[in-house]
Amino acid sequence: MDRRMFLQSVTAAAVAGAVSAEAQAESVVIIEEKKTMKKIIVAADPFAITLKDAIVADLKGKGYEIVDVGSTTEKEIPYYDGAVAACKLLQADKTARGLLFCGSGMGMSIVANKFDGINASVVESVFAAKMCRAINDANVLCLGAMIWGEWMAKEAVDTFLNTKFTEGLDGISDFLHDAVKKVNAIQG
Protein backbone atom coordinates (compact mmCIF):
# COMPACT_ATOMS: atom_id res chain seq x y z
CA MET A 1 0.00 0.00 0.00
CA ASP A 2 1.48 3.37 -0.91
CA ARG A 3 1.70 6.27 1.57
CA ARG A 4 -1.28 8.16 0.15
CA MET A 5 -3.60 5.14 0.33
CA PHE A 6 -2.31 4.32 3.80
CA LEU A 7 -2.91 7.85 5.07
CA GLN A 8 -6.37 7.91 3.53
CA SER A 9 -7.28 4.63 5.23
CA VAL A 10 -5.88 5.81 8.58
CA THR A 11 -7.71 9.11 8.27
CA ALA A 12 -10.97 7.36 7.43
CA ALA A 13 -10.56 5.06 10.43
CA ALA A 14 -9.78 7.99 12.73
CA VAL A 15 -12.75 9.98 11.52
CA ALA A 16 -15.03 6.98 11.95
CA GLY A 17 -13.75 6.56 15.49
CA ALA A 18 -12.34 3.10 14.89
CA VAL A 19 -10.10 1.95 17.74
CA SER A 20 -8.12 -1.23 17.14
CA ALA A 21 -6.69 -3.46 19.82
CA GLU A 22 -3.27 -2.19 18.76
CA ALA A 23 -4.37 1.42 19.30
CA GLN A 24 -5.77 0.51 22.71
CA ALA A 25 -2.45 -1.10 23.64
CA GLU A 26 -0.64 2.05 22.46
CA SER A 27 -2.84 4.15 24.75
CA VAL A 28 -1.28 2.36 27.73
CA VAL A 29 2.16 3.35 26.43
CA ILE A 30 0.96 6.93 25.97
CA ILE A 31 -0.25 7.06 29.57
CA GLU A 32 3.19 5.84 30.69
CA GLU A 33 4.90 8.50 28.53
CA LYS A 34 2.64 11.16 30.03
CA LYS A 35 3.93 10.25 33.49
CA THR A 36 7.47 11.13 32.44
CA MET A 37 6.54 14.16 30.30
CA LYS A 38 4.97 16.51 32.80
CA LYS A 39 6.45 19.93 32.00
CA ILE A 40 4.51 22.24 29.71
CA ILE A 41 5.88 25.64 28.71
CA VAL A 42 3.10 28.12 27.95
CA ALA A 43 2.92 31.67 26.68
CA ALA A 44 0.07 33.88 25.56
CA ASP A 45 -0.24 37.38 24.22
CA PRO A 46 -2.67 39.76 25.97
CA PHE A 47 -5.51 38.75 23.64
CA ALA A 48 -5.34 35.06 24.63
CA ILE A 49 -4.84 35.19 28.41
CA THR A 50 -8.33 33.86 29.17
CA LEU A 51 -7.90 30.79 26.93
CA LYS A 52 -4.39 30.13 28.25
CA ASP A 53 -5.56 30.39 31.86
CA ALA A 54 -8.38 27.90 31.26
CA ILE A 55 -5.98 25.41 29.67
CA VAL A 56 -3.38 25.91 32.42
CA ALA A 57 -5.96 25.28 35.16
CA ASP A 58 -7.08 22.09 33.40
CA LEU A 59 -3.50 20.84 32.97
CA LYS A 60 -2.52 21.62 36.56
CA GLY A 61 -5.51 19.56 37.67
CA LYS A 62 -4.08 16.66 35.66
CA GLY A 63 -0.69 16.93 37.36
CA TYR A 64 1.33 18.79 34.73
CA GLU A 65 4.03 21.24 35.75
CA ILE A 66 3.34 24.54 34.00
CA VAL A 67 5.93 27.20 33.26
CA ASP A 68 4.18 30.37 32.08
CA VAL A 69 6.44 32.89 30.33
CA GLY A 70 3.77 34.94 28.60
CA SER A 71 1.18 37.55 29.39
CA THR A 72 -0.79 37.50 32.59
CA THR A 73 -3.54 39.77 33.87
CA GLU A 74 -0.78 41.73 35.66
CA LYS A 75 1.71 41.99 32.78
CA GLU A 76 1.32 42.18 29.03
CA ILE A 77 3.90 40.57 26.78
CA PRO A 78 3.61 40.71 22.96
CA TYR A 79 3.31 37.40 21.14
CA TYR A 80 6.80 37.62 19.64
CA ASP A 81 8.46 38.02 23.05
CA GLY A 82 6.38 35.28 24.70
CA ALA A 83 7.13 32.83 21.92
CA VAL A 84 10.87 33.56 22.12
CA ALA A 85 10.94 33.01 25.89
CA ALA A 86 9.00 29.74 25.58
CA CYS A 87 11.13 28.38 22.75
CA LYS A 88 14.39 29.08 24.56
CA LEU A 89 13.13 27.03 27.50
CA LEU A 90 11.96 24.26 25.17
CA GLN A 91 15.37 24.13 23.52
CA ALA A 92 16.91 23.62 26.97
CA ASP A 93 14.42 20.89 27.96
CA LYS A 94 13.78 18.47 25.09
CA THR A 95 11.24 16.51 27.16
CA ALA A 96 8.88 19.47 27.64
CA ARG A 97 6.10 20.45 25.29
CA GLY A 98 4.91 23.93 24.44
CA LEU A 99 1.50 25.57 24.20
CA LEU A 100 1.38 29.04 22.65
CA PHE A 101 -1.72 31.23 22.47
CA CYS A 102 -2.49 34.40 20.54
CA GLY A 103 -5.39 35.73 18.49
CA SER A 104 -5.09 33.28 15.60
CA GLY A 105 -2.16 31.09 16.69
CA MET A 106 -0.31 32.12 13.53
CA GLY A 107 1.99 34.75 15.02
CA MET A 108 3.17 32.42 17.77
CA SER A 109 3.72 29.62 15.24
CA ILE A 110 5.75 31.83 12.90
CA VAL A 111 8.07 32.93 15.70
CA ALA A 112 8.37 29.46 17.26
CA ASN A 113 9.36 27.80 14.00
CA LYS A 114 12.41 30.07 13.75
CA PHE A 115 14.04 28.08 16.58
CA ASP A 116 16.08 24.92 16.01
CA GLY A 117 14.41 21.88 17.51
CA ILE A 118 10.98 23.50 17.58
CA ASN A 119 8.22 22.09 15.40
CA ALA A 120 5.22 24.31 16.07
CA SER A 121 1.82 23.70 14.55
CA VAL A 122 -1.12 26.05 14.55
CA VAL A 123 -4.28 23.95 14.37
CA GLU A 124 -7.98 24.61 14.08
CA SER A 125 -9.37 21.17 14.92
CA VAL A 126 -8.83 18.36 17.42
CA PHE A 127 -8.02 16.06 14.51
CA ALA A 128 -5.26 18.41 13.33
CA ALA A 129 -3.87 18.50 16.90
CA LYS A 130 -3.58 14.71 16.77
CA MET A 131 -2.09 14.58 13.30
CA CYS A 132 0.52 17.30 13.91
CA ARG A 133 1.98 14.99 16.56
CA ALA A 134 1.48 11.70 14.71
CA ILE A 135 2.75 12.89 11.32
CA ASN A 136 5.03 15.86 12.02
CA ASP A 137 6.32 15.20 15.56
CA ALA A 138 5.26 18.71 16.60
CA ASN A 139 6.43 19.67 20.08
CA VAL A 140 4.56 22.98 20.23
CA LEU A 141 0.83 23.52 19.74
CA CYS A 142 -0.37 27.01 18.82
CA LEU A 143 -4.01 27.95 19.38
CA GLY A 144 -5.94 31.07 18.49
CA ALA A 145 -8.28 32.62 21.02
CA MET A 146 -10.41 34.02 18.15
CA ILE A 147 -10.93 30.45 16.89
CA TRP A 148 -11.12 28.11 19.88
CA GLY A 149 -13.68 27.85 22.66
CA GLU A 150 -12.32 26.61 25.98
CA TRP A 151 -13.91 23.16 25.89
CA MET A 152 -12.66 22.28 22.41
CA ALA A 153 -9.24 23.80 23.13
CA LYS A 154 -8.93 21.49 26.15
CA GLU A 155 -9.75 18.54 23.89
CA ALA A 156 -7.15 19.63 21.35
CA VAL A 157 -4.48 20.07 24.03
CA ASP A 158 -5.24 16.68 25.60
CA THR A 159 -5.10 15.04 22.19
CA PHE A 160 -1.80 16.77 21.37
CA LEU A 161 -0.22 15.77 24.68
CA ASN A 162 -1.44 12.17 24.50
CA THR A 163 -0.52 11.38 20.90
CA LYS A 164 2.89 9.98 20.12
CA PHE A 165 4.86 10.46 16.93
CA THR A 166 3.72 7.96 14.23
CA GLU A 167 0.83 6.74 16.41
CA GLY A 168 -1.53 4.73 14.23
CA LEU A 169 0.76 5.17 11.23
CA ASP A 170 2.94 2.10 11.64
CA GLY A 171 2.94 1.34 7.91
CA ILE A 172 4.73 4.61 7.15
CA SER A 173 6.66 5.09 10.39
CA ASP A 174 10.08 4.81 8.73
CA PHE A 175 9.06 7.36 6.10
CA LEU A 176 7.79 9.79 8.77
CA HIS A 177 10.95 9.51 10.87
CA ASP A 178 13.07 10.16 7.78
CA ALA A 179 10.81 13.03 6.68
CA VAL A 180 11.04 14.82 10.04
CA LYS A 181 14.85 14.54 9.99
CA LYS A 182 14.96 15.97 6.47
CA VAL A 183 12.52 18.78 7.29
CA ASN A 184 14.45 19.72 10.42
CA ALA A 185 17.66 19.90 8.37
CA ILE A 186 16.19 22.39 5.87
CA GLN A 187 17.63 25.87 6.18
CA GLY A 188 16.66 28.78 4.00
Side-chain angles (χ1 to χ4, degrees):
M1 180 182 304
D2 71 8
R3 285 191 303 268
R4 182 176 301 172
M5 288 178 60
F6 182 81
L7 280 174
Q8 288 171 342
S9 67
V10 169
T11 302
V15 170
V19 179
S20 67
E22 187 176 298
Q24 290 173 356
E26 286 179 1
S27 67
V28 173
V29 173
I30 292 165
I31 290 167
E32 292 302 315
E33 285 178 4
K34 181 179 171 187
K35 289 179 184 175
T36 60
M37 194 279 304
K38 290 279 200 178
K39 185 184 282 185
I40 309 295
I41 312 297
V42 302
D45 72 359
F47 192 81
I49 293 170
T50 302
L51 181 61
K52 182 234 2 170
D53 287 347
I55 299 299
V56 164
D58 187 54
L59 292 174
K60 282 182 177 178
K62 294 175 180 172
Y64 286 95
E65 175 189 349
I66 306 297
V67 178
D68 187 346
V69 295
S71 292
T72 65
T73 54
E74 293 82 33
K75 112 185 129 174
E76 291 189 356
I77 296 174
Y79 75 91
Y80 43 85
D81 288 339
V84 168
C87 290
K88 286 181 179 180
L89 290 175
L90 288 162
Q91 285 179 315
D93 185 351
K94 305 287 186 216
T95 65
R97 296 270 171 82
L99 300 173
L100 303 177
F101 305 87
C102 63
S104 67
M106 297 294 176
M108 287 288 203
S109 177
I110 289 167
V111 174
N113 281 313
K114 293 186 180 294
F115 286 81
D116 287 336
I118 302 299
N119 293 319
S121 294
V122 59
V123 301
E124 295 180 357
S125 71
V126 174
F127 181 74
K130 178 179 184 71
M131 299 316 280
C132 77
R133 281 286 308 130
I135 293 173
N136 304 108
D137 199 20
N139 56 356
V140 175
L141 184 67
C142 302
L143 300 176
M146 292 187 289
I147 298 163
W148 288 93
E150 288 179 16
W151 184 82
M152 287 301 291
K154 289 176 187 177
E155 288 292 316
V157 168
D158 286 344
T159 298
F160 175 77
L161 295 175
N162 292 306
T163 300
K164 67 177 185 143
F165 181 42
T166 74
E167 179 180 329
L169 304 170
D170 298 328
I172 59 169
S173 178
D174 291 341
F175 167 78
L176 293 174
H177 281 278
D178 187 52
V180 166
K181 286 178 189 172
K182 288 179 179 175
V183 168
N184 287 337
I186 295 171
Q187 295 190 10

